Amino acid sequence: MHIIEGIMAGTVHGREILAVGMAATAAGTALGLYKMDHERIPQVGVLSSAFFVASLIHVPLGPTSEHLVLGGLMGLVLGWAAFPAILVALLLQAVFFSFGGLTTLGLNTLIMALPAVCCHYLFRRAACSHREPVVFAAGFAAGATAIALAGLLNAAALVAAGESFRELGPLVLLCHPPIALVEGLITGSVVVLLRKVRPEVLEAPLLVPAAKEVLHG
Amino acid sequence: MIRHASPFAPVHARSAFVGRVDPRLRIVAAVALSVLVALADRFAVLGSALAVSVLGLALSGLPWRVVLRRLLPLNAVMLLLLLVLPLTSGGTPWGRLGPLEFSWEGLWLGVAIALKGNAIVLVLLALLGSVDATTLGHALSHLRVPDKLTHLLLFTVRYLDVLHREYLRLRAAMKVRGFRPRMNRHTYRTFGYLVGMLLVRSFDRSERIAAAMKCRGFRGRFYMLDHFVFSRRDVPFGLTSLAVLLVLALMEWT
């Protein structure tokens, strides 16, 4: 998920990829900022703060636990604003927790934000559906796709960086399916809840709960 | 009342040589040194850069225990890379274990990556580890980072702690009702609702904030209260950083 500091700077191609990542992130962030008018800054700021806090949640996964990423959900809720939101979150992570340094900031933002924006375009319509299973499926697809795409981008960056990393790419890919599954299930539930409780977050109509429904199932 | 230690508070630094330097200067120095380390190839340069960042760390007065704990995850991966890269790189072998061949090229690549990664992370920690996030936002704003981006940063920082407390409250409520995370559908749905409620409460909070700001005439501009002044105190740090950068660049490209 995260490309670790130093590894891409080890080879010439890796450095080129870092530069491409920085440029692409700069472009994406500029577009995200352009599309976000001043009225929405408090909203996007507080929501990205919430996403940051949510990413500290560890969910059990087999013998270990994984922390949430929620890229798909960020895409659905924030759209292009996911770029600046993720950039800020990663910068804060680097400063507060020393996860990653300054040179990987661009590439890591791209790896997470591009799938998020893709999910926005792919699954927003379905997430606004009036049928609960469709809404859940859209959330699941967004959560899982964001992780899968991020894994693919991550692996592709490693493979393109040089001969020595060629075997690492598939290794990185291998650990993503279970995470994608868990993220999908959680994102699905989140989207259903949001549609029933506060559909404005998704700028969608209220999903009327079925008769006699208990929300915790 | 829930006891709460904020995970987002900046690390407390004991001495403050680096802490007193103009944050703008520190940001510029950290970026410049990180880029130089990323571009450098010679081991002398990488080793010196690591030494410089360790020295900076000593001057920043950050407690070593915190530093080591933060470096642990990075170096766990680095160790793994040092084991894997000699196998995958190919080239002149220096040893074999059954069918496995360890190459010099891979080993050197691993060492270079470990040096680079540690140097880049340490520079950031030494120069900006003790800065508080609001100051960081203001400094970035003075460095001509787009207003909207710094506003976003300041908002995110402002509510991290508030929302983290909100999260802990929701978690406590779950615990009181006997929730224990396992690997099943119920757990994932419950976590989904937890995240959902966190978002709902954040959204409501942001509406109130936006309304309050509008009441007070917000027009998309924050008036910065921290105006940094480049003072005589900053000259030694600035000159030293510049000298270090020049020497390292000369070592690499001559």
Side-chain angles (χ1 to χ4, degrees):
Chain A
M1 194 74 225
H2 224 88
I3 282 193
I4 193 158
E5 188 57 63
I7 184 165
M8 299 300 278
T11 63
V12 177
H13 289 303
R15 282 169 216 161
E16 286 162 12
I17 294 168
L18 282 178
V20 169
M22 271 178 213
T25 293
T29 306
L31 190 59
L33 291 175
Y34 172 75
K35 289 196 167 205
M36 172 179 80
D37 59 354
H38 288 298
E39 302 261 309
R40 267 196 83 201
I41 289 177
Q43 201 186 66
V44 175
V46 177
L47 284 177
S48 50
S49 198
F51 280 115
F52 194 109
V53 170
S55 75
L56 301 177
I57 302 177
H58 279 256
V59 293
L61 180 61
T64 60
S65 68
E66 252 303 317
H67 76 92
L68 293 175
V69 184
L70 299 174
L73 191 61
M74 287 183 97
L76 286 180
V77 174
L78 299 174
W80 275 96
F83 256 101
I86 290 174
L87 177 64
V88 164
L90 289 182
L91 178 67
L92 291 177
Q93 257 186 8
V95 176
F96 282 140
F97 306 129
S98 298
F99 288 161
L102 289 172
T103 57
T104 40
L105 200 56
L107 185 62
N108 275 328
T109 306
L110 182 72
I111 285 176
M112 283 179 66
L114 194 63
V117 173
C118 289
C119 287
H120 180 80
Y121 285 109
L122 287 174
F123 304 115
R124 245 205 78 91
R125 287 270 311 275
C128 295
S129 153
H130 283 289
R131 293 186 22 239
E132 187 177 327
V134 178
V135 174
F136 180 84
F140 180 89
T145 310
I147 296 287
L149 276 180
L152 267 177
L153 281 177
N154 191 336
L158 278 178
V159 169
E163 287 285 330
S164 313
F165 305 125
R166 204 137 287 174
E167 280 88 352
L168 291 179
L171 211 69
V172 166
L173 270 188
L174 217 63
C175 54
H176 278 79
I179 305 176
L181 186 71
V182 170
E183 284 266 334
L185 288 173
I186 289 180
T187 309
S189 310
V190 178
V191 173
V192 168
L193 180 102
L194 286 178
R195 284 293 309 281
K196 287 179 182 170
V197 177
R198 198 71 85 244
E200 300 94 315
V201 179
L202 289 163
E203 288 165 1
L206 184 73
L207 182 69
V208 183
K212 282 200 301 185
E213 188 190 17
V214 196
L215 198 56
H216 57 73
Chain B
M1 190 64 205
I2 304 163
R3 286 236 320 272
H4 179 78
S6 168
F8 309 111
V11 189
H12 178 71
R14 271 171 307 192
S15 95
F17 170 71
V18 173
R20 274 198 303 264
V21 175
D22 189 333
R24 292 173 299 176
L25 192 59
R26 282 189 270 162
I27 293 174
V28 174
V31 171
L33 199 58
S34 300
V35 171
L36 195 135
V37 170
L39 291 177
D41 269 321
R42 297 189 183 162
F43 280 101
V45 179
L46 298 181
S48 321
L50 189 61
V52 165
S53 47
V54 171
L55 198 70
L57 212 58
L59 287 175
S60 74
L62 292 173
W64 289 102
R65 223 160 37 88
V66 175
V67 174
L68 291 178
R69 203 175 51 223
R70 288 210 191 177
L71 286 180
L72 209 63
L74 176 75
N75 283 300
V77 182
M78 290 302 175
L79 207 63
L80 208 68
L81 277 178
L82 270 178
L83 288 176
V84 173
L85 286 179
L87 291 173
T88 61
S89 293
T92 4
W94 56 269
R96 47 175 78 233
L97 191 79
L100 304 174
E101 227 170 51
F102 296 90
S103 76
W104 281 113
E105 282 83 352
L107 184 68
W108 291 130
L109 182 62
V111 172
I113 287 174
L115 284 175
K116 281 179 182 216
N118 278 299
I120 294 174
V121 167
L122 278 180
V123 159
L124 186 66
L125 192 58
L127 295 185
L128 294 171
S130 60
V131 79
D132 74 278
T134 321
T135 314
L136 180 70
H138 287 183
L140 284 175
S141 164
H142 284 294
L143 284 171
R144 302 270 179 275
V145 169
D147 266 354
K148 280 183 185 172
L149 194 60
T150 50
H151 290 179
L152 194 60
L153 179 93
L154 288 171
F155 260 109
T156 308
V157 166
R158 168 65 184 81
Y159 289 98
L160 273 181
D161 211 34
V162 176
L163 296 179
H164 191 244
R165 251 177 259 200
E166 192 103 56
Y167 160 69
L168 290 181
R169 214 160 25 235
L170 289 168
R171 249 345 249 276
M174 284 161 73
K175 204 172 183 178
V176 165
R177 286 160 181 75
F179 171 73
R180 250 192 258 146
R182 292 206 188 79
M183 213 179 111
N184 53 25
R185 187 72 189 81
H186 172 71
T187 301
Y188 294 139
R189 181 163 41 212
T190 309
F191 273 119
Y193 290 167
L194 169 67
V195 173
M197 279 321 290
L198 195 64
L199 287 179
V200 166
R201 289 174 177 212
S202 315
F203 182 80
D204 290 354
R205 190 182 285 276
S206 77
E207 302 258 276
R208 291 196 298 274
I209 296 163
M213 288 175 69
K214 215 179 270 180
C215 269
R216 288 158 181 79
F218 179 62
R219 285 185 311 180
R221 214 175 120 65
F222 277 154
Y223 296 90
M224 298 293 164
L225 297 178
D226 297 343
H227 288 286
F228 307 107
V229 190
F230 192 83
S231 71
R232 213 182 305 161
R233 271 206 308 257
D234 302 328
V235 174
F237 177 85
L239 286 181
T240 319
S241 316
L242 199 63
V244 165
L245 282 170
L246 277 178
V247 169
L248 288 180
L250 281 176
M251 275 164 78
E252 173 70 28
W253 288 290
T254 48

